[in-house]
Amino acid sequence: MSNADKGEPTPRGVISEEDRAAMRQRASELGRRLDKAREGEVAESGRRHSAGGRDDKGMGPALRLSTELIGGILVGSAIGWFLDQPYVFGTWPAMFIVFFLLGSAAGMLNVVRAGMKMKTGPSDPSKGPSVRDDDEDA
């Protein structure tokens, strides 16, 4: 029982033993509840990712591949549009169409190259992980 319950004034900054024990009990109970909530949160996030939830691991490579494709198309189209400005072929935009198709092909080639590099790793052996030769001793 605390001093306040006994009717005695408690000096400032002094905590009775009963109050300390009660605070320790509340703190340990709070700690147990937090641990239980964290375990539930970890289990829930694992379930969400495994059950088809949102996972942003592939967002970077997807944006890179789409940028490769769109960049090729835009650069090819811009070159074709620039070459068609004097209208060499009359009003028919022949260069625009040709360079649009070339830019599209170049963009697709870049996407395939980048995708293969992501799948297999870098083609330069000095940039990849080192592998021991069979001839090397321990």
Side-chain angles (χ1 to χ4, degrees):
M1 189 175 237
S2 68
N3 290 339
D5 294 339
K6 295 177 188 173
E8 301 172 11
T10 305
R12 261 188 128 193
V14 176
I15 300 173
S16 69
E17 288 302 318
E18 295 97 17
D19 289 341
R20 282 180 201 254
M23 273 202 298
R24 284 189 189 117
Q25 184 180 4
R26 286 193 306 253
S28 65
E29 176 63 27
L30 180 61
R32 281 194 299 273
R33 289 174 52 196
L34 281 172
D35 289 339
K36 186 177 178 182
R38 285 184 187 134
E39 289 172 7
E41 183 178 309
V42 169
E44 178 66 30
S45 71
R47 217 176 303 122
R48 183 173 52 230
H49 286 297
S50 65
R54 192 171 155 187
D55 188 13
D56 293 337
K57 288 183 183 176
M59 189 66 109
L63 287 174
R64 177 176 179 218
L65 293 177
S66 63
T67 302
E68 295 275 352
L69 179 63
I70 293 170
I73 293 171
L74 288 178
V75 168
S77 299
I79 291 172
W81 178 79
F82 180 74
L83 292 176
D84 265 340
Q85 286 306 304
Y87 292 110
V88 176
F89 297 104
T91 59
W92 194 63
M95 288 292 132
F96 178 77
I97 293 171
V98 168
F99 278 93
F100 173 81
L101 293 174
L102 286 175
S104 299
M108 287 182 221
L109 183 63
N110 286 340
V111 167
V112 169
R113 284 182 184 163
M116 291 301 289
K117 191 176 284 187
M118 285 179 202
K119 182 179 177 184
T120 61
S123 59
D124 185 7
S126 65
K127 294 182 181 176
S130 65
V131 179
R132 271 188 27 180
D133 288 338
D134 292 337
D135 298 337
E136 289 181 10
D137 294 333

